[in-house]
Amino acid sequence: MDALSSVVSRLQMAQHVVIFTGAGVSAESAIPTFRDALTGLWSRYDPSLLASPEGFLSDPDLVWGWYEWRRRKSLLAAPNAAHRSIAALANCLPELTLITQNVDNLHERSGSSPVLRLHGSLHHPRCFNCATPYPLPEGIPDEPDGGRRLPPPRCGRCGGPVRPGVVWFGESLPEPIWKQAEQATDHCDLLFSIGTSSLVWPAAHLPFQAKQNGATVVQVNPNATTLDPVADYNLRGLAGEIMPSIFHSLQSSLAARSAP
Ligand code: OAD
């Protein structure tokens, strides 16, 4: 039995599946992965300058401009077959928990709900000072392709600068969401790690924690990562190809099992 068939047979028996995604699940939607996003105009900047409170305070226009450029790309992008297959899997499994490191909204737009967002969202900015949510204007920001410096809007409540609603370097993950993610990881019997370099902790710890708790770990990534030696299955390839194959194989197996 090949690896993909073994994974599908594990999936048929699973009671609680966790799907843990990174930027690679959105790569086929033409959203650059985090480290790719520092291409072109942004390549000369240090990520910690663009994705940290200190960086924002020292140059708010640069940071807000970069995130508006990323938000525009997220809004112009469409969910791909990986997002759609993950959403569809939830309807044919006893329990599925989706945990993402991504800050785009493609999982939600493909029908997944709820989505445990460990690193926040491009689409929910808030005031840097009083944390009041900032209502973004409708529509797609009219950003030149490479992005530009842009002064952040001001908070309607206190007048402070509005910041992106993502977790920055040096900031903690949202506690309630992290707790839910850890609980799901502790109780799952099968975890998929899809499209992540497994480099950024504590998020990257989740697949290792699942393995320690006896779950089967499946990695989907065209490249090797630090998770390789721990994963039970390393499916080398694109999420947009592997996840639909897994979903369709599972559907066929379930149909055959329920046939008279
Ligand atoms: P990375 O850019 O570090 O890694 C993306 C991974 O996706 C790589 O391992 C690629 O090999 C893989 N990949 C690329 N295309 C793929 C495809 N079509 N199918 C499957 N895999 C593919 O992005 P993340 O691991 O998500 O934090 O980065 C984790 C965090 O680092 C991000 O959430 C970001 C950053 O700090 C915040 O933005 C808060």
Side-chain angles (χ1 to χ4, degrees), residues 33 52 159 201:
T33 58
S52 70
W201 292 64

Side-chain angles (χ1 to χ4, degrees), residues 22-24 28 33-35 101 119 167 195-197 200 221-223 238-239:
E28 291 157 88
T33 58
F34 185 80
R35 278 125 195 110
Q101 301 170 93
H119 292 162
V167 174
T196 179
S197 55
V200 176
N221 195 319
N223 301 307
L238 305 180

Side-chain angles (χ1 to χ4, degrees), residues 27-260:
E28 291 157 88
S29 298
I31 292 189
T33 58
F34 185 80
R35 278 125 195 110
D36 297 347
L38 294 173
T39 55
L41 171 69
W42 309 104
S43 57
R44 63 177 177 274
Y45 294 108
D46 168 2
S48 63
L49 175 71
L50 290 170
S52 70
E54 300 73 20
F56 179 73
L57 289 176
S58 71
D59 195 339
D61 296 10
L62 176 74
V63 173
W64 182 257
W66 186 53
Y67 279 94
E68 277 297 275
W69 173 69
R70 290 179 67 190
R71 187 167 73 87
R72 171 182 166 79
K73 287 194 84 66
S74 169
L75 291 170
L76 289 172
N80 65 56
H83 298 107
R84 291 194 295 273
S85 307
I86 290 167
L89 274 174
N91 301 321
C92 44
L93 293 169
E95 187 177 4
L96 182 147
T97 303
L98 174 56
I99 304 167
T100 191
Q101 301 170 93
N102 298 341
V103 292
D104 63 51
N105 58 359
L106 297 184
H107 278 308
E108 290 88 344
R109 284 167 55 195
S110 59
S112 287
S113 176
V115 179
L116 296 184
R117 324 188 117 280
L118 298 181
H119 292 162
S121 167
L122 289 169
H123 304 280
H124 299 294
R126 62 178 188 269
C127 176
F128 187 89
N129 295 341
C130 70
T132 301
Y134 178 77
L136 284 164
E138 287 292 311
I140 297 176
D142 179 20
E143 282 300 294
D145 195 33
R148 61 185 162 144
R149 301 171 70 85
L150 205 57
R154 309 305 289 187
C155 170
R157 185 161 169 266
C158 77
V162 172
R163 56 160 287 174
V166 304
V167 174
W168 278 334
F169 288 109
E171 292 185 323
S172 313
L173 273 57
E175 188 63 26
I177 294 175
W178 177 244
K179 283 263 173 281
Q180 288 178 66
E182 283 205 298
Q183 274 165 8
T185 303
D186 286 344
H187 296 100
C188 72
D189 42 11
L190 179 58
L191 179 141
F192 284 84
S193 178
I194 306 172
T196 179
S197 55
S198 305
L199 290 175
V200 176
W201 292 64
H205 173 67
L206 292 175
F208 295 87
Q209 183 178 330
K211 181 70 184 173
Q212 280 162 6
N213 293 324
T216 298
V217 173
V218 180
Q219 181 173 221
V220 177
N221 195 319
N223 301 307
T225 75
T226 53
L227 185 62
D228 275 51
V230 168
D232 298 279
Y233 300 94
N234 287 300
L235 305 180
R236 278 280 179 277
L238 305 180
E241 292 171 5
I242 291 175
M243 293 317 294
S245 303
I246 288 176
F247 171 64
H248 293 306
S249 303
L250 177 69
Q251 254 194 337
S252 317
S253 319
L254 295 175
R257 204 164 55 176
S258 59

